[in-house]
Amino acid sequence: MAFDFKKEYKEFYMPANKPSIVTVPSMNYIAVRGEGDPNAEDGAYKQAIGLLYGIAFTIKMSKMGDHRIEGYFDYVVPPLEGFWWQDGVQGIDYAHKEQLQWISVIRLPDFVTRSDFDWAVKEAERKKKTDFSKAEFLTYDEGLCVQCMHIGSYDDEPATVEQMHRYMKGQGYTLDITTKRLHHEIYLSDVRKVAPEKIKTVIRYPIKSR
């Protein structure tokens, strides 16, 4: 059976729909950076997702070709994730999505080295005849965070975020958003197949002790 990160690391991918504190270890990702409204038709965000999945499945299916990755095991491609920010805003202003800046990511298994990643970029370009140069190998050490499962439309996230803020303050923590510690979302639902009120999204914010 293929290794499923969501099932094996439930503390990071399947939290309860009430806030909790978690310490997230360093992880490696395929990453594409951009800006603008993620809902824009044929916009930069949707193009970025195509690049991420192109590389993710090239690595997953490497077992079928000549490139052998040391330590490879079969796995389910982890879910799409995103780090989000807006200049001059502490958190996210959902009314001005056109001002969003983002790093869209998919987690890499630990056995994938930077050289394996570089091979996958070239292989994806060769097979798909597409420029994958915007993709990068990103190591992100998230550390101490508050997180919560949000169930519902993305536009309804502020209510869940407010619960998270109240909880972290009650536990003696304060928000710690910096240029290196960002609002983080993990997308567990396929919005093409799930009703808006049933969409599951992990929301995570960096925190520190007061």
Side-chain angles (χ1 to χ4, degrees):
M1 184 178 294
F3 186 93
D4 190 332
F5 288 86
K6 298 189 302 298
K7 294 179 180 178
E8 298 297 331
Y9 298 107
K10 290 182 179 179
E11 67 271 32
F12 304 133
Y13 295 99
M14 300 297 292
N17 58 348
K18 60 182 180 180
S20 60
I21 306 298
V22 64
T23 299
V24 185
S26 178
M27 299 180 190
N28 295 327
Y29 297 91
I30 311 163
V32 178
R33 299 170 187 264
E35 59 184 24
D37 188 340
N39 298 318
E41 285 297 328
D42 299 318
Y45 182 74
K46 292 185 179 178
Q47 292 174 22
I49 292 174
L51 298 179
L52 292 175
Y53 279 106
I55 295 173
F57 278 100
T58 297
I59 294 171
K60 174 179 169 58
M61 301 310 295
S62 64
K63 62 182 180 179
M64 306 297 290
D66 296 330
H67 184 83
R68 291 289 181 263
I69 299 177
E70 185 176 353
Y72 179 97
F73 54 79
D74 194 22
Y75 64 99
V76 177
V77 171
L80 179 70
E81 308 182 38
F83 299 101
W84 301 85
W85 73 98
Q86 290 160 309
D87 290 338
V89 177
Q90 185 80 325
I92 297 296
D93 179 356
Y94 292 83
H96 293 284
K97 294 178 182 177
E98 74 281 358
Q99 298 174 4
L100 283 167
Q101 300 189 60
W102 39 263
I103 309 173
S104 190
V105 303
I106 292 177
R107 182 179 178 176
L108 287 167
D110 291 342
F111 59 71
V112 177
T113 66
R114 190 177 294 270
S115 64
D116 293 321
F117 174 84
D118 291 342
W119 165 83
V121 170
K122 292 178 182 178
E123 182 70 2
E125 287 182 334
R126 183 182 70 83
K127 286 188 173 183
K128 296 182 178 295
K129 304 297 188 289
T130 300
D131 181 10
F132 281 81
S133 61
K134 288 185 178 180
E136 62 182 273
F137 183 98
L138 175 68
T139 300
Y140 193 87
D141 190 356
E142 200 159 11
L144 187 67
C145 296
V146 60
Q147 69 178 10
C148 187
M149 180 73 78
H150 171 74
I151 301 176
S153 167
Y154 300 131
D155 290 337
D156 294 335
E157 287 183 6
T160 298
V161 171
E162 178 58 31
Q163 292 179 36
M164 293 165 65
H165 285 180
R166 289 198 303 269
Y167 176 79
M168 72 177 183
K169 289 177 182 177
Q171 296 296 310
Y173 297 100
T174 186
L175 204 60
D176 189 33
I177 289 181
T178 68
T179 56
K180 294 184 178 180
R181 305 192 75 210
L182 302 165
H183 172 112
H184 185 183
E185 298 184 359
I186 303 174
Y187 308 106
L188 301 177
S189 301
D190 185 338
V191 295
R192 299 168 299 179
K193 302 176 181 178
V194 177
E197 65 273 14
K198 295 182 179 180
I199 294 173
K200 291 184 177 181
T201 308
V202 179
I203 303 176
R204 191 180 290 159
Y205 272 101
I207 59 174
K208 62 182 179 180
S209 296
R210 281 191 233 171

